[in-house]
Amino acid sequence: MASETQNQKFGTLPVFLTSICTILGAILFLRFGWAVGQVGLLGTLAIILIGHLVTLPTSLAIAEIATNQRVEGGGAYYIISRSFGLNIGGAIGIALYLSQAISVAFYVIAFAQSTAPLFEWLDVWTLKQFGWTINHWDYRMVSLPTMGLLSLLVLTRGANSGMNLLYIVAGVLFVSLLMFFAGTPETPMEFAGVADLFLNKFHPEDFSVGELATMGLSAEKPEYFYVFTIIFPAFTGIIAGLGLSGDLKDPGKSIPTGTIAATLVGMFVYVLVAFKLAFSLPPEVLANKDRLVMSEIAIWAPIIPIGLAAAAISSALGSVLVAPRTLQALGGDKIFPTARINSWIASTRKRDSEPINGGILTVLIAFVFVFIGDVDFVAEIISMFFMVTYGAICLISFLEHFSSNPAYRPSFTSRWYFSLAGAIFCIWLMFKMNLEYAVGSVILMALIYVWVSRYNDNNGMTRIFKGVIFQISRGLRVMLQKAAEEEDYEEHWVPSVICISQHSFERLAAFDMVRFISQRYGFGTYIHMIRDFYSKDTVAQSRDVQKRLLQRTRVSRSKVYVDTMISPSYTSAVAQVLQIPGISGQDNNMILFEYFRHDTTRLPDMVDNIGLIKAADFDALILQSSEKGFGYKHEIHIWLTSEDFVNGNLMILLAYIILGHSEWKGGEIKIFAVYPEKDVKQQKDKLLRLIAEGRMAISPNNIEVIAHPENQSIKSIITDRSVDADLTLIGFGDEDLANRYDEVFSGYDDLGNVLFVNTDREKAID
């Protein structure tokens, strides 16, 4: 209990201060004046607007999610992983952690650059005292020791000392901004009109090369979205406070209040600063990256580098406090490969529950980027990773609105179109800012996802995706049902087969047949029947059976929908199956039965229910499986006779559909028609014309019309020609079943699998 109290000790103010001190941080002092000079006041206001088209929806989404669930340690990672699942969440979480760790370096480098006036003073002093000076100071002389001291502070004292220091630097930051707004430049700007104020910006072509060199400016003007990329990290502080979620008394209140307040205050201050800079200094002065232009306006110039130092240190402190907690949450969710690594990362220091090992890794990563020392390079990297994180948070909020989950009941509700706009803007801006970095980020995220998935068994579809898919599926099925027209049955026939079998784990033939039909052109549902009374035990049995069937669909990579049915009566089960809606939104139109050739005990049940099938206007398929199975899946033989011509088109279509399955690749269809000798030529021409008009990939050489000898039965002809066929299709009529069904299905002992086909309505082959 004591540990829990220690971990959850902060209120709303630390969330606000952590966020606002990061928003009004290093970028404001180091690069914001440069942005105003390069793109003008209007362009800068557009940058603020575009940036907040991302950050405002994100802050609203954070507020919504935080008031629905308790956001625990890990902040943004916790939200993403609990919505998208550990695999996707882990991939984004690792990228988020890296951006937070790199942010520490970014702010430490910015702090080092705040000491520029000190170096200038040293140059003047050494010149006076010793007659020499150092023209090029290396800021790493400051940044590396600063990083060392910051690491020592956080690793030894933890969040308590960090939060105490945060209050101090927030006060210094406030004073520096106040003195900046109170100051005026020596020579105020004059404008010809409002348009001149908003459009006034630096134009390199207005100056000579020598003048540009004197002013420390380049003749190459940066692209607009490059400027945006450098400025955008200023707005990313909205999730800085989110990382303290595990240390808050009431995250559901503190996170939304602190985050939204910091976002709005930050946006307002940036607009005021943009106007102040544009009113005060000419664009060629503002466009110099190496000048702390705000100090030329403030009533006391030294307060600006002091404020920059305070802002940089506070932001670095915020990042170095948050990043280890994100890493700790990743380890707690066992995202990394081994239990030892996860345990080491997730472990905390006993006396204050600080994630000490995560802190060590964070400062090591930060040291690497501090050594690189380029603030613009680091800004581009963290902008890209934060865009990914913000896009994910907005997407979660958007999807939650459509998943219709009763458990999602936030007390603060955003609007789905805000969240959707935020997600779209994140994706668009990623590729506008830097195409190479965007592609690299996507590839890196994909690689991390594959790596995480390899070591994490949480591969199931998460609740949020399931909910959205269910709602989309429902909407589409309702729309299809309303748009259905009876007259389209013949013209646009698509097979939607449903199979019922009690022998799913004894024979694969029925399941395979449904697989073949539903792979490419049709739809398939496979029902395993448990012939018993409905009870708690049979329900448990049905769930186990369904798990086994689902495993079969995964292994076979089939598109079959599988389910179970409990019924003591075969007729009752068939009646229920005939009423099951099709999985695609299209009604089922075909039922498949299966029995083993040498075990006909189930055949009477199937035949007895043909009447039910006809009442439902279904086509009937009865598969007679054999020891040969489907053989080599190469040849399909179709047998047509003068007595069952109505089944012919359906058998041809089924053969063509089955041949579309990848396992039948390279297979061929052969059509045999048995007619009286006088009709042979006429029937062959009719078949050739039918195949040609229907654009079926059946060679004329594979169509054979056989004159029926008077002294030979059709069954013997079929047996002679199809003994090596992998699947044989034979039609049967209703009259055959009424009089002699046992004869209809017998006499094919030497063949492979045989599919008996019956329909009342001739299908069109277009």
Side-chain angles (χ1 to χ4, degrees):
M1 194 69 183
S3 175
E4 184 179 350
T5 304
Q6 278 188 322
N7 277 337
Q8 301 171 357
K9 49 184 173 290
F10 301 134
T12 301
L13 186 60
V15 177
F16 172 78
L17 290 179
T18 302
S19 298
I20 197 65
C21 287
T22 307
I23 292 171
L24 303 177
I27 293 294
L28 175 65
F29 293 94
L30 282 179
R31 292 292 181 264
F32 198 64
W34 167 79
V36 175
Q38 292 290 353
V39 301
L41 176 59
L42 184 63
T44 304
L45 294 177
I47 286 176
I48 297 172
L49 174 63
I50 295 171
H52 283 82
L53 287 176
V54 170
T55 57
L56 273 175
T58 305
S59 63
L60 293 174
I62 290 171
E64 180 180 87
I65 297 168
T67 57
N68 179 70
Q69 63 182 22
R70 185 175 184 84
V71 182
E72 298 182 5
Y77 162 71
Y78 182 86
I79 290 175
I80 294 169
S81 63
R82 292 321 180 261
S83 299
F84 283 161
L86 294 185
N87 288 353
I88 297 177
I92 297 175
I94 291 173
L96 172 64
Y97 165 72
L98 290 174
S99 67
Q100 291 170 340
I102 295 170
S103 294
V104 178
F106 173 79
Y107 295 120
V108 169
I109 295 170
F111 170 79
Q113 293 190 11
S114 72
T115 61
L118 177 62
F119 288 143
E120 292 174 3
W121 178 83
L122 285 173
D123 276 341
V124 174
W125 185 79
T126 54
L127 182 63
K128 287 181 179 180
Q129 296 294 325
F130 307 107
W132 53 268
T133 185
I134 300 174
N135 292 322
H136 298 288
W137 290 90
D138 192 334
Y139 289 120
R140 286 177 292 189
M141 294 171 59
V142 175
S143 61
L144 288 172
T146 301
M147 187 67 229
L149 291 173
L150 185 65
S151 304
L152 185 65
L153 173 67
V154 172
L155 293 178
T156 56
R157 300 297 301 277
N160 282 329
S161 61
M163 203 55 61
N164 293 333
L165 183 59
L166 184 61
Y167 294 129
I168 297 172
V169 296
V172 174
L173 179 61
F174 174 77
V175 171
S176 64
L177 286 173
L178 194 63
M179 297 184 76
F180 163 73
F181 285 115
T184 56
E186 294 180 2
T187 307
M189 292 287 295
E190 295 183 0
F191 300 97
V194 176
D196 187 29
L197 167 65
F198 280 95
L199 300 177
N200 189 30
K201 59 183 176 181
F202 172 61
H203 295 282
E205 61 272 14
D206 294 342
F207 302 91
S208 67
V209 175
E211 289 174 326
L212 290 171
T214 302
M215 293 186 293
L217 299 173
S218 171
E220 294 185 7
K221 193 171 179 64
E223 294 182 359
Y224 183 80
F225 276 99
Y226 174 77
V227 178
F228 175 85
T229 305
I230 301 303
I231 298 301
F232 182 73
F235 312 136
T236 61
I238 61 171
I239 65 171
L242 193 61
L244 298 174
S245 56
D247 300 304
L248 300 175
K249 295 177 182 177
D250 186 2
K253 175 185 175 183
S254 298
I255 290 175
T257 305
T259 301
I260 293 177
T263 303
L264 294 176
V265 170
M267 181 174 63
F268 179 69
V269 171
Y270 269 100
V271 171
L272 292 181
V273 171
F275 273 97
K276 180 72 175 179
L277 290 170
F279 268 114
S280 302
L281 295 173
E284 59 271 18
V285 174
L286 294 172
N288 191 329
K289 281 186 179 181
D290 296 327
R291 296 176 69 164
L292 287 174
V293 293
M294 292 176 68
S295 64
E296 300 177 27
I297 302 172
I299 56 176
W300 185 51
I303 194 62
I304 297 304
I306 293 173
L308 169 59
I313 285 297
S314 68
S315 299
L317 189 59
S319 296
V320 83
L321 289 174
V322 168
R325 285 160 171 77
T326 300
L327 188 62
Q328 180 190 28
L330 287 163
D333 286 338
K334 299 178 174 56
I335 296 298
F336 298 100
T338 67
R340 179 175 294 181
I341 294 175
N342 286 309
S343 176
W344 185 81
I345 290 175
S347 61
T348 59
R349 190 165 49 200
K350 290 184 178 180
R351 64 181 171 86
D352 54 9
S353 299
E354 284 294 316
I356 184 65
N357 295 329
I360 293 171
L361 287 177
T362 300
V363 298
L364 289 176
I365 293 171
F367 263 114
V368 172
F369 284 88
V370 167
F371 187 78
I372 294 173
D374 187 343
V375 70
D376 292 342
F377 168 75
V378 177
E380 287 189 84
I381 293 177
I382 62 178
S383 290
M384 205 61 61
F385 282 131
F386 274 119
M387 278 294 180
V388 173
T389 305
Y390 288 2
I393 292 173
C394 288
L395 188 59
I396 289 168
S397 176
F398 170 70
L399 293 177
E400 286 286 13
H401 281 277
F402 289 93
S403 65
S404 298
N405 177 23
Y408 191 71
R409 301 185 302 274
S411 55
F412 173 88
T413 305
S414 179
R415 295 291 182 268
W416 67 266
Y417 39 85
F418 289 159
S419 300
L420 176 61
I424 292 173
F425 269 107
C426 284
I427 297 171
W428 176 67
L429 287 171
M430 278 181 63
F431 289 92
K432 290 294 291 183
M433 291 192 308
N434 190 312
L435 180 61
E436 292 79 9
Y437 278 28
V439 173
S441 298
V442 172
I443 293 173
L444 177 61
M445 298 285 288
L447 291 175
I448 294 175
Y449 172 77
V450 172
W451 177 62
V452 170
S453 299
R454 182 177 179 183
Y455 295 104
N456 196 302
D457 59 1
N458 182 29
N459 293 313
M461 186 177 293
T462 54
R463 174 197 54 77
I464 190 170
F465 286 123
K466 285 183 179 179
V468 172
I469 291 172
F470 288 156
Q471 295 302 319
I472 292 174
S473 175
R474 179 185 67 172
L476 290 174
R477 292 180 67 170
V478 170
M479 181 186 69
L480 288 170
Q481 185 184 49
K482 291 178 179 178
E485 296 181 7
E486 184 67 25
E487 59 267 28
D488 288 341
Y489 179 85
E490 271 36 328
E491 295 181 11
H492 306 289
W493 180 84
V494 174
S496 184
V497 62
I498 186 165
C499 174
I500 181 169
S501 174
Q502 297 174 247
H503 306 285
S504 304
F505 306 108
E506 299 166 24
R507 300 187 292 273
L508 295 175
F511 183 82
D512 286 342
M513 179 57 69
V514 179
R515 280 199 307 122
F516 299 153
I517 293 174
S518 62
Q519 178 67 24
R520 185 173 178 184
Y521 298 105
F523 307 101
T525 303
Y526 185 91
I527 306 292
H528 177 86
M529 177 186 172
I530 299 175
R531 199 160 187 171
D532 204 340
F533 290 99
Y534 196 87
S535 66
K536 186 175 181 179
D537 291 339
T538 54
V539 168
Q541 181 187 350
S542 70
R543 289 172 180 165
D544 292 338
V545 167
Q546 188 175 31
K547 288 180 181 178
R548 295 177 64 186
L549 291 174
L550 286 170
Q551 178 63 18
R552 182 180 293 179
T553 62
R554 279 191 287 266
V555 172
S556 61
R557 297 181 180 179
S558 64
K559 298 179 181 179
V560 179
Y561 181 82
V562 295
D563 209 338
T564 59
M565 179 172 291
I566 304 167
S567 176
S569 164
Y570 194 82
T571 299
S572 174
V574 171
Q576 292 179 65
V577 164
L578 293 172
Q579 298 175 70
I580 292 176
I583 59 165
S584 64
Q586 172 187 299
D587 289 338
N588 293 318
N589 52 28
M590 184 183 300
I591 190 167
L592 172 67
F593 299 121
E594 181 269 344
Y595 74 97
F596 186 58
R597 177 172 296 153
H598 303 300
D599 181 9
T600 60
T601 54
R602 298 297 180 192
L603 185 57
D605 288 337
M606 301 171 190
V607 174
D608 290 344
N609 286 287
I610 294 295
L612 279 177
I613 295 167
K614 295 302 177 183
D617 207 16
F618 272 48
D619 300 323
L621 307 179
I622 298 179
L623 178 62
Q624 183 189 88
S625 60
S626 68
E627 295 90 342
K628 292 183 179 180
F630 290 103
Y632 297 105
K633 301 184 181 70
H634 180 71
E635 280 192 19
I636 298 177
H637 287 189
I638 300 171
W639 284 90
L640 308 177
T641 68
S642 58
E643 297 176 358
D644 66 337
F645 65 92
V646 71
N647 298 318
N649 287 3
L650 177 56
M651 289 193 288
I652 293 172
L653 286 169
L654 283 174
Y656 179 75
I657 290 167
I658 292 168
L659 212 60
H661 193 279
S662 57
E663 293 180 19
W664 288 84
K665 186 177 181 180
E668 60 181 5
I669 298 172
K670 291 184 178 181
I671 299 177
F672 300 93
V674 183
Y675 286 95
E677 188 171 355
K678 63 183 179 62
D679 297 330
V680 167
K681 186 178 185 307
Q682 177 186 354
Q683 292 299 328
K684 183 164 186 178
D685 292 341
K686 181 180 177 181
L687 276 172
L688 289 173
R689 186 170 60 254
L690 180 68
I691 297 302
E693 291 175 354
R695 301 179 301 281
M696 294 289 185
I698 301 174
S699 169
N701 296 328
N702 286 345
I703 299 175
E704 183 178 353
V705 180
I706 304 168
H708 186 189
E710 294 183 0
N711 60 349
Q712 189 176 11
S713 67
I714 292 178
K715 285 187 180 180
S716 63
I717 297 173
I718 293 174
T719 301
D720 290 342
R721 301 297 182 95
S722 299
V723 67
D724 292 323
D726 300 303
L727 175 63
T728 304
L729 276 69
I730 302 172
F732 67 94
D734 298 342
E735 300 81 6
D736 298 332
L737 295 181
N739 301 322
R740 47 188 178 84
Y741 77 83
D742 53 334
E743 296 181 14
V744 172
F745 302 107
S746 61
Y748 302 103
D749 294 350
D750 294 331
L751 303 186
N753 287 354
V754 179
L755 183 64
F756 296 96
V757 178
N758 174 267
T759 183
D760 284 339
R761 294 194 284 186
E762 187 175 2
K763 305 297 183 291
I765 300 180
D766 298 324

